[in-house]
Amino acid sequence: MKKLGIVTVTVLMFLGQSCNTNKGEKQENLNAEDNELNAIFPKGEKGSDEYFTGNAYPVGLVEADSIHTTLAGNVYFEPGARSNWHSHPSGQILIITDGVGYHQIEGQEIEVIKKGDVVKCPPNVRHWHGASPDVGLQQLYFIPNTEKGIVEWMEPVTDEDYNKTK
Ligand code: MN
């Protein structure tokens, strides 16, 4: 009985270890493949913690000038990353080129956004946008009429507000 007990415990420990290891490796590979988004534009530098929660990578693509008063760029949000609450004095257009994310105008439900979606946000409306918890987001942004201003940053989106989709 004693011998059997030791053997059983040893086998269980071995199975337990090998199961955990395999699961861990598989999980890692799966996530890496699932979360690999198509990057059309350069990734850029990590955005400031002052404006973003988590890892977001904004990169400017079109600078506004006196003829073209529109600003355009790309933001790659890693899973779970999002902007702070903010507003744009002349509104904003988003075009989602890959992944899954959220867009929320204050007082409205969180809207799920994904590859191929186009989102218009009216001027001077508090809102935020970012990735879903499990899949990142590639979004192009367009800010027209930059002579009126570009963005006014506000407080971070709390985990409680971010998780309200579930
Ligand atoms: Mn915005």
Side-chain angles (χ1 to χ4, degrees):
M1 265 316 251
K2 234 182 186 179
K3 246 187 182 174
L4 190 66
I6 290 165
V7 169
T8 307
V9 167
T10 308
V11 167
L12 283 177
M13 278 173 68
F14 176 74
L15 283 177
Q17 277 176 357
S18 66
C19 276
N20 283 343
T21 307
N22 285 342
K23 199 178 169 189
E25 277 171 9
K26 265 188 191 165
Q27 198 66 35
E28 239 175 52
N29 290 341
L30 258 182
N31 283 343
E33 281 167 24
D34 287 354
N35 292 337
E36 196 71 41
L37 299 189
N38 183 23
I40 300 172
F41 304 105
K43 189 175 177 182
E45 301 288 316
K46 182 178 160 354
S48 169
D49 290 344
E50 222 179 308
Y51 308 131
F52 298 96
T53 298
N55 297 328
Y57 298 85
V59 62
L61 296 172
V62 179
E63 262 183 68
D65 58 41
S66 57
I67 299 168
H68 310 92
T69 61
T70 297
L71 197 67
N74 190 74
V75 186
Y76 166 54
F77 290 95
E78 285 185 3
R82 68 264 188 180
S83 72
N84 281 12
W85 287 99
H86 63 280
S87 66
H88 306 285
S90 53
Q92 179 176 55
I93 299 163
L94 302 178
I95 297 181
I96 311 309
T97 58
D98 208 1
V100 181
Y102 299 157
H103 181 267
Q104 185 179 29
I105 292 174
E106 192 173 44
Q108 299 182 11
E109 296 283 301
I110 291 177
E111 186 185 1
V112 176
I113 51 179
K114 57 186 191 314
K115 183 178 178 177
D117 286 346
V118 177
V119 185
K120 277 184 178 172
C121 186
N124 297 313
V125 165
R126 268 168 59 88
H127 70 286
W128 61 271
H129 27 112
S132 67
D134 300 321
V135 183
L137 184 77
Q138 291 277 14
Q139 59 137 77
L140 280 166
Y141 63 85
F142 301 87
I143 299 173
N145 305 316
T146 50
E147 66 277 8
K148 292 180 190 168
I150 296 166
V151 59
E152 283 175 32
W153 287 109
M154 299 158 195
E155 76 278 12
V157 176
T158 61
D159 287 343
E160 195 193 347
D161 281 345
Y162 179 73
N163 290 322
K164 273 182 185 160
T165 48
K166 290 177 184 170

